[in-house]
PDB file of all heavy atoms in Angstrom:
ATOM      1  N   MET K1093      -1.817   0.769   1.937  1.00  0.00           N
ATOM      2  CA  MET K1093      -3.052   0.750   1.153  1.00  0.00           C
ATOM      3  C   MET K1093      -2.883   1.568  -0.112  1.00  0.00           C
ATOM      4  O   MET K1093      -3.259   1.147  -1.208  1.00  0.00           O
ATOM      5  CB  MET K1093      -4.209   1.357   1.966  1.00  0.00           C
ATOM      6  CG  MET K1093      -4.804   0.430   2.986  1.00  0.00           C
ATOM      7  SD  MET K1093      -6.023   1.286   4.022  1.00  0.00           S
ATOM      8  CE  MET K1093      -7.359   1.479   2.865  1.00  0.00           C
ATOM      9  N   ILE K1094      -2.290   2.756   0.066  1.00  0.00           N
ATOM     10  CA  ILE K1094      -2.145   3.650  -1.083  1.00  0.00           C
ATOM     11  C   ILE K1094      -1.151   3.064  -2.083  1.00  0.00           C
ATOM     12  O   ILE K1094      -1.387   3.074  -3.294  1.00  0.00           O
ATOM     13  CB  ILE K1094      -1.732   5.047  -0.610  1.00  0.00           C
ATOM     14  CG1 ILE K1094      -2.914   5.669   0.130  1.00  0.00           C
ATOM     15  CG2 ILE K1094      -1.302   5.923  -1.771  1.00  0.00           C
ATOM     16  CD1 ILE K1094      -2.631   6.987   0.767  1.00  0.00           C
ATOM     17  N   ALA K1095      -0.046   2.509  -1.547  1.00  0.00           N
ATOM     18  CA  ALA K1095       0.933   1.903  -2.445  1.00  0.00           C
ATOM     19  C   ALA K1095       0.316   0.728  -3.192  1.00  0.00           C
ATOM     20  O   ALA K1095       0.653   0.457  -4.338  1.00  0.00           O
ATOM     21  CB  ALA K1095       2.151   1.435  -1.648  1.00  0.00           C
ATOM     22  N   GLY K1096      -0.602   0.032  -2.544  1.00  0.00           N
ATOM     23  CA  GLY K1096      -1.249  -1.108  -3.192  1.00  0.00           C
ATOM     24  C   GLY K1096      -2.367  -0.704  -4.132  1.00  0.00           C
ATOM     25  O   GLY K1096      -3.064  -1.555  -4.670  1.00  0.00           O
ATOM     26  N   GLY K1097      -2.581   0.595  -4.303  1.00  0.00           N
ATOM     27  CA  GLY K1097      -3.587   1.054  -5.240  1.00  0.00           C
ATOM     28  C   GLY K1097      -5.007   1.053  -4.698  1.00  0.00           C
ATOM     29  O   GLY K1097      -5.971   1.147  -5.440  1.00  0.00           O
ATOM     30  N   GLN K1098      -5.129   0.937  -3.370  1.00  0.00           N
ATOM     31  CA  GLN K1098      -6.456   0.984  -2.752  1.00  0.00           C
ATOM     32  C   GLN K1098      -6.661   2.409  -2.269  1.00  0.00           C
ATOM     33  O   GLN K1098      -6.207   2.762  -1.185  1.00  0.00           O
ATOM     34  CB  GLN K1098      -6.425   0.089  -1.514  1.00  0.00           C
ATOM     35  CG  GLN K1098      -7.191  -1.181  -1.606  1.00  0.00           C
ATOM     36  CD  GLN K1098      -7.403  -1.740  -0.217  1.00  0.00           C
ATOM     37  OE1 GLN K1098      -6.549  -1.643   0.659  1.00  0.00           O
ATOM     38  NE2 GLN K1098      -8.543  -2.338  -0.002  1.00  0.00           N
ATOM     39  N   TYR K1099      -7.325   3.241  -3.052  1.00  0.00           N
ATOM     40  CA  TYR K1099      -7.422   4.642  -2.660  1.00  0.00           C
ATOM     41  C   TYR K1099      -8.693   4.920  -1.882  1.00  0.00           C
ATOM     42  O   TYR K1099      -9.790   4.761  -2.410  1.00  0.00           O
ATOM     43  CB  TYR K1099      -7.399   5.555  -3.878  1.00  0.00           C
ATOM     44  CG  TYR K1099      -6.081   5.532  -4.600  1.00  0.00           C
ATOM     45  CD1 TYR K1099      -5.931   4.872  -5.802  1.00  0.00           C
ATOM     46  CD2 TYR K1099      -4.982   6.171  -4.044  1.00  0.00           C
ATOM     47  CE1 TYR K1099      -4.720   4.845  -6.462  1.00  0.00           C
ATOM     48  CE2 TYR K1099      -3.761   6.144  -4.688  1.00  0.00           C
ATOM     49  CZ  TYR K1099      -3.640   5.476  -5.901  1.00  0.00           C
ATOM     50  OH  TYR K1099      -2.440   5.455  -6.523  1.00  0.00           O
ATOM     51  N   PRO K1100      -8.556   5.372  -0.626  1.00  0.00           N
ATOM     52  CA  PRO K1100      -9.739   5.889   0.050  1.00  0.00           C
ATOM     53  C   PRO K1100     -10.093   7.236  -0.597  1.00  0.00           C
ATOM     54  O   PRO K1100      -9.315   7.761  -1.407  1.00  0.00           O
ATOM     55  CB  PRO K1100      -9.278   6.109   1.489  1.00  0.00           C
ATOM     56  CG  PRO K1100      -7.907   5.538   1.587  1.00  0.00           C
ATOM     57  CD  PRO K1100      -7.363   5.449   0.212  1.00  0.00           C
ATOM     58  N   ASP K1101     -11.282   7.783  -0.282  1.00  0.00           N
ATOM     59  CA  ASP K1101     -11.637   9.094  -0.816  1.00  0.00           C
ATOM     60  C   ASP K1101     -11.229  10.199   0.142  1.00  0.00           C
ATOM     61  O   ASP K1101     -10.696  11.216  -0.262  1.00  0.00           O
ATOM     62  CB  ASP K1101     -13.140   9.135  -1.088  1.00  0.00           C
ATOM     63  CG  ASP K1101     -13.533   8.107  -2.126  1.00  0.00           C
ATOM     64  OD1 ASP K1101     -13.354   8.401  -3.318  1.00  0.00           O
ATOM     65  OD2 ASP K1101     -13.956   6.991  -1.752  1.00  0.00           O
ATOM     66  N   VAL K1102     -11.488   9.976   1.431  1.00  0.00           N
ATOM     67  CA  VAL K1102     -11.148  10.976   2.435  1.00  0.00           C
ATOM     68  C   VAL K1102     -10.311  10.304   3.504  1.00  0.00           C
ATOM     69  O   VAL K1102     -10.598   9.178   3.913  1.00  0.00           O
ATOM     70  CB  VAL K1102     -12.434  11.559   3.073  1.00  0.00           C
ATOM     71  CG1 VAL K1102     -12.079  12.557   4.160  1.00  0.00           C
ATOM     72  CG2 VAL K1102     -13.312  12.206   2.015  1.00  0.00           C
ATOM     73  N   ILE K1103      -9.229  10.984   3.933  1.00  0.00           N
ATOM     74  CA  ILE K1103      -8.471  10.425   5.055  1.00  0.00           C
ATOM     75  C   ILE K1103      -8.271  11.479   6.137  1.00  0.00           C
ATOM     76  O   ILE K1103      -8.228  12.671   5.874  1.00  0.00           O
ATOM     77  CB  ILE K1103      -7.100   9.851   4.646  1.00  0.00           C
ATOM     78  CG1 ILE K1103      -6.241  10.896   3.946  1.00  0.00           C
ATOM     79  CG2 ILE K1103      -7.252   8.636   3.785  1.00  0.00           C
ATOM     80  CD1 ILE K1103      -4.862  10.379   3.606  1.00  0.00           C
ATOM     81  N   GLU K1104      -8.166  10.980   7.343  1.00  0.00           N
ATOM     82  CA  GLU K1104      -7.863  11.838   8.481  1.00  0.00           C
ATOM     83  C   GLU K1104      -6.363  12.109   8.434  1.00  0.00           C
ATOM     84  O   GLU K1104      -5.566  11.186   8.353  1.00  0.00           O
ATOM     85  CB  GLU K1104      -8.240  11.103   9.777  1.00  0.00           C
ATOM     86  CG  GLU K1104      -8.132  11.964  11.007  1.00  0.00           C
ATOM     87  CD  GLU K1104      -8.512  11.182  12.260  1.00  0.00           C
ATOM     88  OE1 GLU K1104      -8.774   9.972  12.174  1.00  0.00           O
ATOM     89  OE2 GLU K1104      -8.550  11.805  13.332  1.00  0.00           O
ATOM     90  N   MET K1105      -5.993  13.408   8.449  1.00  0.00           N
ATOM     91  CA  MET K1105      -4.595  13.747   8.168  1.00  0.00           C
ATOM     92  C   MET K1105      -3.964  14.536   9.316  1.00  0.00           C
ATOM     93  O   MET K1105      -4.287  15.688   9.526  1.00  0.00           O
ATOM     94  CB  MET K1105      -4.560  14.580   6.871  1.00  0.00           C
ATOM     95  CG  MET K1105      -3.204  15.079   6.467  1.00  0.00           C
ATOM     96  SD  MET K1105      -2.070  13.769   6.023  1.00  0.00           S
ATOM     97  CE  MET K1105      -2.661  13.359   4.383  1.00  0.00           C
ATOM     98  N   PRO K1106      -3.051  13.888  10.067  1.00  0.00           N
ATOM     99  CA  PRO K1106      -2.318  14.636  11.086  1.00  0.00           C
ATOM    100  C   PRO K1106      -1.331  15.600  10.425  1.00  0.00           C
ATOM    101  O   PRO K1106      -0.797  15.294   9.361  1.00  0.00           O
ATOM    102  CB  PRO K1106      -1.560  13.550  11.845  1.00  0.00           C
ATOM    103  CG  PRO K1106      -2.176  12.257  11.448  1.00  0.00           C
ATOM    104  CD  PRO K1106      -2.732  12.463  10.078  1.00  0.00           C
ATOM    105  N   ASP K1107      -1.107  16.737  11.052  1.00  0.00           N
ATOM    106  CA  ASP K1107      -0.270  17.783  10.436  1.00  0.00           C
ATOM    107  C   ASP K1107       1.104  17.296   9.977  1.00  0.00           C
ATOM    108  O   ASP K1107       1.570  17.655   8.917  1.00  0.00           O
ATOM    109  CB  ASP K1107      -0.133  18.992  11.386  1.00  0.00           C
ATOM    110  CG  ASP K1107       0.273  18.598  12.806  1.00  0.00           C
ATOM    111  OD1 ASP K1107       0.595  17.410  13.025  1.00  0.00           O
ATOM    112  OD2 ASP K1107       0.268  19.475  13.687  1.00  0.00           O
TER     113      ASP K1107
END
Side-chain angles (χ1 to χ4, degrees):
Chain K
M1093 281 173 72
I1094 291 175
Q1098 251 197 324
Y1099 294 105
D1101 298 279
V1102 178
I1103 57 177
E1104 187 180 4
M1105 177 66 77
D1107 50 8

